[in-house]
Amino acid sequence: MQDFRNIAIIAHVDHGKTTLVDGLLKQSGTIAAHKELQDRAMDSNDQERERGITILSKCTSIAWGTHRINIVDTPGHADFGGEVERVLKMVDSVLLLVDAFEGPMPQTKFVLNKALQLGLRPIVVINKVDRPDSRPDVVVDLVFDLFANLGADDHQLDFPVVYASAKHGYAGLDIDTLDTEGNLDALVETVLRHVPAPAADASAPLRMQLATLSYNEYLGRLAVGRIYEGTIRQGQEVALVRRDGTISKCKVSKLFGFDGLEQVGIEEAVGGDIVAVAGLQGALPGETVCHPDHIVSMPLIEIDEPTVTMRFMVNNSPFAGQDGKYVTSRQIKARLDRELEHNVSLRVELTQTADAFQVSGRGELHLSVLIETMRREGYE
Ligand code: GDP
């Protein structure tokens, strides 16, 4: 029986999140490190690298002895604030990763603030302590001041600190006696010690809450969430308690767990774990999945309403057809429908003309990411 920990990671771009997760994956020995690193570079969203922020919340899962640590990425922009909040509700702590020279950056404040408000007690990882210009003591003080400014309580202010070099694969609790030939055990042990293990009874009736959506080309919408209690099995009948209070019966047509950076098909999963489920027709974040004979409804998580609206239309200029390969309204509609399967705060409405759609999103960034994704796919 595995013993779970669920944490989110908050980091400013370039402070070493990818390197740290890769280092943990390598040292945990669950997968061939080289393959993982290659996959990772290919998998990560191009626009995330270019824009320097996380757009999608991805889950990485690391097996460490009998423990399994699920690490969820947090989107780094206020346009994705609803997503941030939903992701943070799925975890029991956060790792705040900070560059030992630069210190905490204003861009991480938004997510950190949400984590503190939700009562999570972060673990602070001071990374890149191998840098000759690193100033770990100063940076810890800056983090403390930031926590205080954000209204952290005494417990949160008393955060554990781990000093690390993700690049060289070592970590320790005391900056003066760091073993530069060592490993990342001190970080993992800190997570195991400070993050509460989910108190979940695998034999209780199923209770799971959905936090985010993802999309699979063959299976359509996948609902990702945390199992709070009980066991979920492939093929099982479940009840889905909808946002409007209605209940629908669904079948778990496929179940995925996370292993390293991959989603892998599994037969069953137990309380405490984070899984992706196919077959929950039209499921939305915040909804509860439970046993049909034991209906429970978990407190809803708010979904942010759109704030910006624009029209997506067929190119009717003299240059139409020169820039892309998907140009018809049918193609645009099919693409937007697919996006609606997982882009939670997006709305699409038909207009009076057949070749225009009214698309609403959380902000300029939210919409521009979609527009740029579609452009790169060949939509004009
Ligand atoms: P991310 O944007 O947070 O995912 O950052 P990356 O993991 O891509 O790292 C950004 C840069 O910092 C890369 O060039 C890494 O090699 C470097 N880096 C990451 N961790 C360390 C570290 O512990 N020490 C040093 N010196 N460089 C690091």
Side-chain angles (χ1 to χ4, degrees):
M1 174 87 186
Q2 272 186 329
D3 168 32
F4 296 96
R5 296 294 188 283
N6 296 315
I7 53 175
I9 190 161
I10 303 176
H12 183 63
V13 62
D14 273 350
H15 281 195
K17 180 173 67 181
T18 311
T19 311
L20 185 71
V21 172
D22 283 331
L24 288 168
L25 283 168
K26 261 193 242 172
Q27 289 190 16
S28 70
T30 31
I31 27 237
H34 182 62
K35 178 177 172 295
E36 278 295 330
L37 282 167
Q38 276 185 345
D39 283 357
R40 172 139 217 153
M42 285 188 313
D43 271 5
S44 67
N45 183 306
D46 283 343
Q47 286 196 61
E48 294 195 342
R49 254 178 284 133
E50 292 165 15
R51 292 173 188 256
I53 56 157
T54 303
I55 297 166
L56 306 163
S57 47
K58 288 161 293 239
C59 188
T60 303
S61 183
I62 295 169
W64 201 278
T66 58
H67 308 286
R68 177 166 288 283
I69 304 175
N70 293 319
I71 305 177
V72 199
D73 221 348
T74 49
H77 190 277
D79 272 16
F80 304 98
E83 177 93 1
V84 169
E85 188 144 356
R86 284 183 272 113
V87 165
L88 291 176
K89 287 222 169 131
M90 216 167 31
V91 299
D92 299 304
S93 178
V94 297
L95 287 185
L96 176 68
L97 184 68
V98 183
D99 182 303
F101 170 72
E102 285 194 342
M105 303 296 272
Q107 290 89 333
T108 54
K109 236 160 106 175
F110 172 77
V111 184
L112 179 63
N113 192 25
K114 288 236 167 192
L116 293 173
Q117 279 172 10
L118 288 169
L120 299 174
R121 182 185 185 221
I123 294 171
V124 175
V125 183
I126 306 292
N127 187 36
K128 308 197 188 184
V129 291
D130 60 283
R131 279 177 68 156
D133 55 359
S134 79
R135 37 178 201 151
D137 295 339
V138 177
V139 168
V140 170
D141 287 345
L142 290 172
V143 171
F144 184 89
D145 292 345
L146 175 62
F147 275 40
N149 284 335
L150 292 174
D153 63 27
D154 288 350
H155 189 54
Q156 291 169 325
L157 282 172
D158 188 24
F159 49 82
V161 179
V162 182
Y163 300 91
S165 169
K167 187 168 168 179
H168 299 289
Y170 62 82
L173 302 183
D174 180 1
I175 187 70
D176 297 322
T177 58
L178 266 184
D179 177 7
T180 57
E181 305 280 296
N183 52 43
L184 292 169
D185 286 1
L187 172 58
V188 177
E189 281 156 17
T190 305
V191 169
L192 295 176
R193 198 166 338 114
H194 288 276
V195 183
D201 175 0
S203 57
L206 173 66
R207 186 161 60 90
M208 169 179 179
Q209 187 166 37
L210 306 178
T212 120
L213 301 176
S214 75
Y215 182 80
N216 177 296
E217 208 180 322
Y218 305 105
L219 301 164
R221 179 179 298 201
L222 295 182
V224 181
R226 170 170 168 175
I227 308 167
Y228 283 84
E229 211 130 46
T231 302
I232 188 165
R233 296 186 179 81
Q234 169 151 345
Q236 176 186 356
E237 263 230 340
V238 292
L240 176 65
V241 184
R242 313 299 312 263
R243 297 189 73 86
D244 62 8
T246 58
I247 295 167
S248 38
K249 289 244 172 80
C250 306
K251 195 174 152 179
V252 177
S253 59
K254 197 122 178 63
L255 189 64
F256 295 94
F258 296 89
D259 187 16
L261 300 161
E262 292 175 32
Q263 270 186 16
V264 288
I266 50 175
E267 288 297 315
E268 65 169 43
V270 296
D273 206 357
I274 293 174
V275 292
V277 185
L280 307 178
Q281 286 294 327
L284 286 173
E287 296 182 341
T288 307
V289 178
C290 55
H291 191 283
D293 298 337
H294 298 270
I295 301 292
V296 278
S297 163
M298 301 191 57
L300 268 186
I301 307 174
E302 211 173 303
I303 295 183
D304 291 333
E305 290 303 316
T307 57
V308 179
T309 296
M310 60 188 288
R311 281 180 169 224
F312 283 28
M313 53 200 290
V314 171
N315 187 358
N316 55 9
S317 87
F319 302 110
Q322 294 187 2
D323 227 25
K325 53 183 185 215
Y326 305 121
V327 294
T328 67
S329 73
R330 193 173 48 85
Q331 286 166 330
I332 297 173
K333 168 132 196 335
R335 179 63 184 79
L336 289 174
D337 283 346
R338 183 146 53 88
E339 190 67 21
L340 286 172
E341 285 293 311
H342 63 94
N343 199 332
V344 177
S345 295
L346 196 77
R347 303 274 182 281
V348 177
E349 288 155 86
L350 302 178
T351 62
Q352 272 145 353
T353 72
D355 35 6
F357 304 92
Q358 184 155 310
V359 182
S360 307
R362 283 292 304 151
E364 282 168 28
L365 183 74
H366 184 210
L367 286 181
S368 71
V369 166
L370 170 62
I371 293 166
E372 181 58 14
T373 305
M374 288 177 67
R375 194 190 66 77
R376 290 179 191 197
E377 288 170 4
Y379 290 84
E380 194 169 281

